[in-house]
Amino acid sequence: MFDRVRIGVALGAGGARGLAHLGVLDALESAGIRPSFIAGSSIGALVGAAYALAGAAAEPRQRVLEFLESNAYAESGLSLVKDALTEKPDTWSGRLDGWLKRLYLQAKFVTAPSILDADSFRSLIEYFLPKINIEDLPIPFRAVGTDLRSGRPVVFTSGSLRAAVYASSAIPGLVTPLEYKDMLVVDGGVVNMVPVGIVRKMGADVIIAVDVEKTPDPPKDFGSGLDTLFRVEEVQNAFIKEAQLAQADLVIRPAVGHIHWSGFGRAAELIQLGADAAASRMDEIEALARRRTRPWDSSHPADKRLGPEWIMI
């Protein structure tokens, strides 16, 4: 139905909330809209890669649900992080258990390169993705990372899909950075929460961005200098993200802000919220998909934003 229009989808970072991307992609697919290009940051890279490989949302969705019931999830460390950050037990033994988990995480945070070791996280990526190169995917795909050494964004265009997704998903402090060539690569969300510009550069006629990051709550007060610093970081990140989203033709924001970024156990709910958000905008999406001309001319000044400051590999 919409085969003549090249639709690009930019999938944003956001931890477990990014599972809503699967619902968005499934809803688009049900309406006869299939992406010609996909780019993702962090969890968006993992979901985007799985979809680009399968060509449909059903298989990745099933893999996610199976993973959450498997020993691989229990052994990954993700469940420990979630418990330590979100549980509020009402018994003495439960509070003691929570305190010990938080103490363990704090100790690892200050004494080790990351809370999750590289091998465990690599096994998680391998659970979802086979050994394949990016350039061999049926749907063109890009993963975005951040090089800690140069401070520059990194766009993975070829080479190992697993390595690219690992790097893009390596949350600083939680996951060991990836040593890649002369770079030390971490989460793409550090510099590019929703890689809209990458999708446009790939050649998309219409760009749909999916933002799953929680909107910062208004601060109650600034009782300490630390409160001020945290708020400054929130403002900076939100400002940069909105500038990136402004380049999209349509932005879908699933209502997932109430779910913690570590809440992978709520996968079914997150996927449904993504589907609901896409369905609520379907008239607009279909109108955009009927375009027959590319909205971004190749000489558009915005295209220069992907200049020498980006590392393309």
Side-chain angles (χ1 to χ4, degrees), residues 173-197:
L174 182 65
V175 179
T176 304
L178 177 72
E179 288 275 2
Y180 191 87
K181 298 182 179 178
D182 59 346
M183 298 178 292
L184 190 63
V185 190
V186 296
D187 199 305
V190 172
V191 291
N192 201 325
M193 288 293 294
V194 190
V196 177

Side-chain angles (χ1 to χ4, degrees), residues 131-202:
K131 188 176 181 180
I132 187 175
N133 286 341
I134 295 172
E135 61 269 32
D136 296 327
L137 290 171
I139 300 174
F141 169 76
R142 302 287 183 265
V144 180
T146 306
D147 177 25
L148 290 180
R149 293 193 172 117
S150 68
R152 294 163 65 188
V154 179
V155 183
F156 290 87
T157 65
S158 61
S160 169
L161 179 64
R162 286 175 171 175
V165 171
Y166 177 106
S168 184
S169 307
I171 300 172
L174 182 65
V175 179
T176 304
L178 177 72
E179 288 275 2
Y180 191 87
K181 298 182 179 178
D182 59 346
M183 298 178 292
L184 190 63
V185 190
V186 296
D187 199 305
V190 172
V191 291
N192 201 325
M193 288 293 294
V194 190
V196 177
I198 299 299
V199 178
R200 179 168 43 21
K201 199 69 175 178
M202 293 172 76

